[in-house]
Amino acid sequence: MKKTILTLIGLLMLTPAYAQVSHVSINQSLFELGENPNLKLNIVSSHNNLKKVQFSVRQADGEERLSTHPLNSFKVQVAGVSKVTDKNAVLIIKEYRVSRWYQVKIINLFNQGLPESAMDSYYTADRSKASEQGTQVSEAVLADNKLAVALGFGEEPSIQKPQVMVPDNCSITFNGKESLWRVANRQAKLWGLSAYGAMLAIYESNPNAFNKQSIHGLKADAKLNCPSKDILEKHQNAKTAEQEFSAME
């Protein structure tokens, strides 16, 4: 009997398993509203490293992926470069499983009156959905709007197909201090793309504007040109764009 049990344990150890993040919570918040995000997090995960775990701050004007610094086996520090000015901002945790990223946890950063169950029901929906007109509409944006209405912060907006505007020889406004996330979120509304699609379009159209050809290395002195219509059409699918961005180093 003992030999059988040991054999089963050995087989289970050889069987591929889906690594999971089983717990994430804020250990210490090192910033306040209006400052750059900086947090120490408690984390319990079967991942050997954090390459397959992402942390992002989502607020009203966009989303920023945070850098990570492991402190020990159960604690990690995450930080960003864009100020958090939205009192309803949330921390999004994702993990990479079976060739795609999954959203596994949402933590409210400031508004303690917002129940986690409400955030889960709104923020964990499928990230893109085709409308009756065939337009790719970000489900995350719709969720944010519905949540704001439910909390009494705004009015239900009407959904309209974004109008793509790409004048000849146009340039993108960039002050040298903004993150690519913030620039892309601003342009996405004009181009009818998701923020991820807009980042990919900017990167593809301006290869010399990034250090070491990394999409995370936007140069402070970069001059950004608008993407062509063909490049914009290439990145229309919001889910595909997010997966492509997440796979880039």
Side-chain angles (χ1 to χ4, degrees):
M1 182 66 178
K2 183 177 180 180
K3 183 177 180 180
T4 302
I5 293 174
L6 291 174
T7 301
L8 289 173
I9 292 174
L11 289 173
L12 288 173
M13 291 178 67
L14 292 174
T15 303
Y18 298 130
Q20 289 187 338
V21 175
S22 56
H23 172 80
V24 180
S25 61
I26 296 178
N27 177 278
Q28 185 179 6
S29 179
L30 304 175
F31 78 109
E32 297 180 353
L33 188 65
E35 298 178 345
N36 295 346
N38 191 357
L39 300 158
K40 289 184 179 179
L41 304 175
N42 302 314
I43 181 168
V44 179
S45 170
S46 56
H47 293 289
N48 294 326
N49 55 57
L50 291 176
K51 290 184 178 180
K52 292 189 176 182
V53 183
Q54 287 185 1
F55 303 89
S56 302
V57 168
R58 182 184 296 162
Q59 54 182 325
D61 63 353
E63 185 171 324
E64 180 191 10
R65 180 174 168 181
L66 305 179
S67 61
T68 60
H69 176 64
L71 300 176
N72 56 44
S73 299
F74 301 100
K75 190 180 296 183
V76 61
Q77 186 166 352
V78 297
V81 297
S82 296
K83 289 182 173 58
V84 181
T85 57
D86 182 0
K87 66 178 182 180
N88 296 312
V90 293
L91 177 68
I92 306 293
I93 298 93
K94 299 179 185 178
E95 67 174 346
Y96 191 78
R97 302 198 306 264
V98 194
S99 74
R100 62 166 292 188
W101 288 93
Y102 290 84
Q103 186 167 289
V104 296
K105 182 73 174 180
I106 303 162
I107 300 176
N108 201 314
L109 294 175
F110 301 110
N111 187 358
Q112 300 302 321
L114 180 62
E116 185 173 323
S117 58
M119 290 189 294
D120 288 339
S121 65
Y122 286 110
Y123 284 108
T124 57
D126 188 13
R127 296 305 301 272
S128 63
K129 179 181 179 182
S131 69
E132 294 179 358
Q133 292 79 21
T135 304
Q136 291 294 324
V137 180
S138 169
E139 202 58 28
V141 172
L142 295 180
D144 289 349
N145 290 335
K146 291 178 182 177
L147 187 56
V149 172
L151 294 172
F153 296 127
E155 299 179 356
E156 190 76 48
S158 59
I159 302 174
Q160 297 179 347
K161 183 176 180 179
Q163 182 179 2
V164 178
M165 299 174 60
V166 191
D168 292 334
N169 301 319
C170 82
S171 59
I172 300 171
T173 302
F174 174 57
N175 62 16
K177 298 180 180 179
E178 299 172 296
S179 66
L180 181 60
W181 279 103
R182 191 172 296 274
V183 176
N185 272 281
R186 184 170 61 242
Q187 296 300 129
K189 300 173 184 178
L190 299 176
W191 297 339
L193 299 179
S194 67
Y196 292 100
M199 284 194 294
L200 292 174
I202 294 171
Y203 175 73
E204 188 171 340
S205 304
N206 301 274
N208 295 326
F210 296 83
N211 287 310
K212 299 181 180 179
Q213 297 183 329
S214 170
I215 197 169
H216 306 296
L218 181 60
K219 297 178 181 178
D221 60 350
K223 305 297 181 183
L224 301 176
N225 297 316
C226 295
S228 66
K229 183 178 179 181
D230 289 341
I231 290 178
L232 293 179
E233 291 178 350
K234 177 180 176 181
H235 299 295
Q236 283 289 320
N237 188 292
K239 183 177 291 185
T240 300
E242 180 176 357
Q243 292 174 347
E244 184 177 345
F245 174 83
S246 298
M248 300 176 73
E249 293 296 335

